[in-house]
Amino acid sequence: MRRHRIAAIGGDGIGPEVVAAGLRVLETTAEVDGGFSFDVRSFDWGSDHYRRTGRMMPDDGLAQLAPFDAIFFGAVGDKEIPDHITLWELRLAICQGFDQYANVRPTKLLPGIVGPLKDELGRAIDWVIVRENSEGEYAGVGGRAHRGLPLEVGMDVAVFTRAGVERIARFACDLAMTRPRKKLTVVTKSNAQRHGLVLWDEVCAGVTAQYPELEVDKMLVDAMAARMVVKPGSVDTVLATNLHADILSDLASACAGSLGIGATANLDPSRKNPSMFEPIHGSAFDIVGKGVANPLGSFWTGAMMLEHLGEPAAAQRLMAAVASVTAKGEALTPDLGGRSTTHQTTEAVIAALRGVNA
């Protein structure tokens, strides 16, 4: 039997709730499949760990995670700890430390879900956003000087390297080639950012030219946001910088009904390091402990992890179970207009996996 080693990090807010639900569903998926199993180890890293130790994760955190096949991550963010600490000392420390440079975020309106767009527009949503995940606006280059004085300055430098842009552009092209429409939109803002994003444009154009089978177009990020809302059917695979894709993917999940549905893979395509899989909803302070967090994003994320681990049939089975539950509309959480709890939605998906009517 194939055995996959998973590091589970619930993190902050609703993260532990949805990770626990996701692990239950993944264990059921493995049980139904019968050909593989999971060896899961949980890590209590996050803001509570920071309060105890002054660190979001131990100094040797990456070394502890390195032997695993994948990381299943919940959320990061705390009311009492500055966001730049919680993000940079845990999630980004893992993404950058393991060179998980390709962030992949699929979006589709699931059966039975009513999004904010007109029905014919919502049904046209079938997108994958590829986010450069290692440099750009999140490179961490910059600083502050003259603190507390009238001339205090804070500066963040967006870093774009030819190697970094080339590898994410090639990844996006390869991914777009696997999709039926073979269509790629490259997002930019080079009309205003005339150095880094002009380099981005030039390198992306050089890479996409090597894929003559692809239909490629380029759009400014503000126009892209509008296009996703008014012409969603014209969008397929999207390539964007770290910051631009971060924003556009939240818009994408909102168009598909809820941030609670969004799924993410942070990939090291070389597979030298473990990749990390996380729902994109954040820590959701307002519903922590209420038992109503939407677990569907963690299930979709789990399906992406299964694909990465070489279990495509199990991934398809899990997504079919999710779709059957949303289509019935009887076990949806409040963010989707339902009245179900996290537990009830999870049980419904587990029942669907086992072939039992929920």
Side-chain angles (χ1 to χ4, degrees):
M1 178 179 288
R2 300 177 299 279
R3 194 159 185 84
H4 303 301
R5 298 165 298 171
I6 306 300
I9 306 174
D12 299 336
I14 62 170
E17 301 174 47
V18 298
V19 164
L23 289 174
R24 287 194 61 219
V25 165
L26 285 168
E27 291 286 0
T28 303
T29 305
E31 175 189 324
V32 170
D33 184 276
F36 67 94
S37 63
F38 293 108
D39 181 4
V40 179
R41 178 182 169 190
S42 295
F43 295 83
D44 66 345
W45 302 342
S47 293
D48 286 341
H49 188 275
Y50 181 87
R51 276 184 272 270
R52 294 193 305 268
T53 68
R55 297 295 304 274
M56 292 292 289
M57 70 176 181
D59 291 340
D60 65 343
L62 293 180
Q64 291 189 46
L65 296 175
F68 289 88
D69 299 314
I71 303 163
F72 197 45
F73 188 86
V76 68
D78 187 277
K79 287 183 178 180
E80 300 174 352
I81 303 172
D83 289 339
H84 68 273
I85 291 176
T86 58
L87 183 65
W88 276 96
E89 292 191 9
L90 188 57
R91 184 190 175 278
L92 288 184
I94 295 171
C95 288
Q96 295 191 358
F98 283 144
D99 199 22
Q100 297 167 349
Y101 69 84
N103 179 287
V104 180
R105 298 186 170 185
T107 305
K108 194 168 186 177
L109 195 66
L110 294 173
I113 301 299
V114 178
L117 303 183
K118 294 178 180 179
D119 184 65
E120 66 273 16
L121 295 179
R123 296 298 160 195
I125 295 174
D126 185 2
W127 307 329
V128 176
I129 296 176
V130 177
R131 171 186 179 186
E132 199 293 312
N133 211 31
S134 66
E135 50 182 40
E137 302 84 357
Y138 292 17
V141 176
R144 291 175 63 182
H146 312 300
R147 290 176 182 255
L149 299 177
L151 47 60
E152 182 174 1
V153 60
M155 181 168 56
D156 284 287
V157 178
V159 175
F160 297 92
T161 66
R162 179 170 292 276
V165 178
E166 181 174 338
R167 67 181 184 176
I168 195 63
R170 194 168 302 283
F171 178 92
C173 287
D174 289 338
L175 177 58
M177 286 294 295
T178 68
R179 291 171 58 81
R181 296 174 65 186
K182 293 181 171 54
K183 179 179 176 62
L184 176 67
T185 300
V186 179
V187 175
T188 185
K189 192 62 179 172
S190 52
N191 60 337
Q193 294 176 273
R194 58 181 182 168
H195 302 299
L197 285 181
V198 170
L199 173 65
W200 167 273
D201 289 352
E202 292 173 355
V203 176
C204 287
V207 172
T208 57
Q210 300 171 34
Y211 292 79
E213 303 92 341
L214 276 183
E215 177 188 347
V216 181
D217 66 329
K218 183 175 75 171
M219 289 209 76
L220 298 177
V221 63
D222 41 351
M224 188 65 196
R227 177 178 168 186
M228 289 168 64
V229 173
V230 300
K231 293 184 178 180
S234 71
V235 179
D236 190 81
T237 307
V238 179
L239 169 61
T241 71
N242 217 330
L243 178 60
H244 293 163
D246 192 8
I247 296 167
L248 291 176
S249 57
D250 274 13
L251 172 61
S253 290
C255 288
S258 171
L259 291 183
I261 294 178
T264 303
N266 301 288
L267 302 176
D268 170 13
S270 75
R271 296 181 179 261
K272 293 178 182 177
N273 302 299
S275 294
M276 182 163 70
F277 301 82
E278 58 173 330
I280 71 169
H281 49 60
S283 50
F285 304 136
D286 56 325
I287 58 171
V288 173
K290 296 182 179 180
V292 296
N294 187 345
L296 296 182
S298 69
F299 303 160
W300 196 338
T301 296
M304 296 181 75
M305 186 170 71
L306 287 169
E307 285 274 2
H308 181 75
L309 294 171
E311 306 290 352
Q316 292 173 10
R317 189 177 295 116
L318 173 51
M319 287 307 297
V322 169
S324 71
V325 169
T326 61
K328 291 177 182 177
E330 299 170 356
L332 302 180
T333 46
D335 60 307
L336 293 173
R339 297 182 178 180
S340 295
T341 63
T342 307
H343 176 75
Q344 289 168 334
T345 301
T346 302
E347 288 298 317
V349 172
I350 287 174
L353 279 165
R354 289 179 173 157
V356 178
N357 291 327

